[in-house]
Amino acid sequence: MDDLGHWTTDCIKIEEPTGFVYLIMNKTKGSGYIGQKSMMKKVVRKPLKGRVNKRRSTTDSGWREYRSSSKQLIKDIDSGDEVTYHIICWCRSKSELNYIETKYQFDVDVINDERWYNGMINIRQGKTTFCEDWRERYDLGLTYIKNLIGSSNV
C-alpha cells in the first residue's frame, strides 16, 4: 500500500483497509469535496459454457487514479483548476466507511456551505461494529480536514 497514486495522507495506516474517506481540495476556487472510495470492486462475469451460475470475483477499483464522483468537480479539474487529493481516514469495513464519511460531512456542514461540492448526504446505515481505534482515526482525520480547510479558506 505504499503506492498511493496522486493521493497524500497523514492519517493512521491500518492493515488491509476496505477503503478510505477522502477530501479533494480545489485550490483555485477554494472549494472541497468529501467522499469515500473502496479499494476493491465486485466483478460479475457470465457463466462458463454449460453452467448457470455467474462468476463473481473482486478486482482493484482503480482508486489510485480516481478523481471524484462529483460532476462539477470533474469539470473544474478538466478546465485546469489546481486540485489536491487527501486520504483522511482508512476504514476496515464498508459500514465503517459509510458511517465515517457521513459523520465528516455532517461535522463540517457540507450541505449548507456553498464552498463544498457535496450536493447531498446519502446514507443507509445499520448497526456498525467498529474497531477499537476508530475514534482516534476519526479525530485525527477531522483535525486534518480542519487544518486543510483553514489553509485554503474552504
Side-chain angles (χ1 to χ4, degrees):
M1 193 168 53
D2 292 332
D3 176 23
L4 298 177
H6 57 240
W7 299 96
T8 60
T9 187
D10 287 336
C11 64
I12 298 172
K13 292 198 166 109
I14 61 172
E15 294 290 321
E16 299 180 26
T18 298
F20 56 89
V21 179
Y22 63 83
L23 170 65
I24 300 175
M25 297 293 298
N26 182 332
K27 292 187 163 212
T28 306
K29 294 191 172 158
S31 300
Y33 182 83
I34 294 176
Q36 63 168 281
K37 186 64 181 160
S38 295
M39 310 283 285
M40 303 297 282
K41 68 178 179 180
K42 293 179 183 174
V43 177
V44 179
R45 296 179 294 173
K46 66 180 188 172
L48 292 170
K49 186 175 179 181
R51 303 285 300 192
V52 178
N53 297 341
K54 294 177 183 172
R55 297 177 292 161
R56 293 171 177 82
S57 61
T58 57
T59 186
D60 185 88
S61 67
W63 63 271
R64 288 173 184 86
E65 299 84 30
Y66 182 74
R67 297 193 304 166
S68 178
S69 60
S70 167
K71 289 179 179 29
Q72 184 59 49
L73 178 55
I74 290 174
K75 238 195 255 185
D76 289 347
I77 293 168
D78 291 342
S79 71
D81 287 2
E82 183 184 352
V83 176
T84 56
Y85 298 85
H86 308 274
I87 295 173
I88 53 179
C89 187
W90 295 100
C91 298
R92 288 190 172 95
S93 68
K94 187 68 174 164
S95 61
E96 185 179 274
L97 190 58
N98 290 332
Y99 179 83
I100 290 177
E101 175 202 15
T102 305
K103 188 159 175 45
Y104 281 134
Q105 289 173 339
F106 279 116
D107 285 350
V108 297
D109 200 22
V110 298
I111 294 299
N112 297 315
D113 190 338
E114 291 297 318
R115 296 173 294 178
W116 292 95
Y117 287 99
N118 298 76
M120 71 170 86
I121 297 175
N122 190 9
I123 180 127
R124 184 175 176 176
Q125 183 72 37
K127 274 230 185 253
T128 302
T129 305
F130 291 104
C131 297
E132 296 165 3
D133 68 339
W134 86 270
R135 177 61 75 179
E136 179 185 3
R137 287 184 286 121
Y138 174 81
D139 290 341
L140 285 171
L142 189 58
T143 302
Y144 189 64
I145 291 172
K146 288 180 178 179
N147 288 339
L148 287 169
I149 290 171
S151 66
S152 70
N153 298 323
V154 172

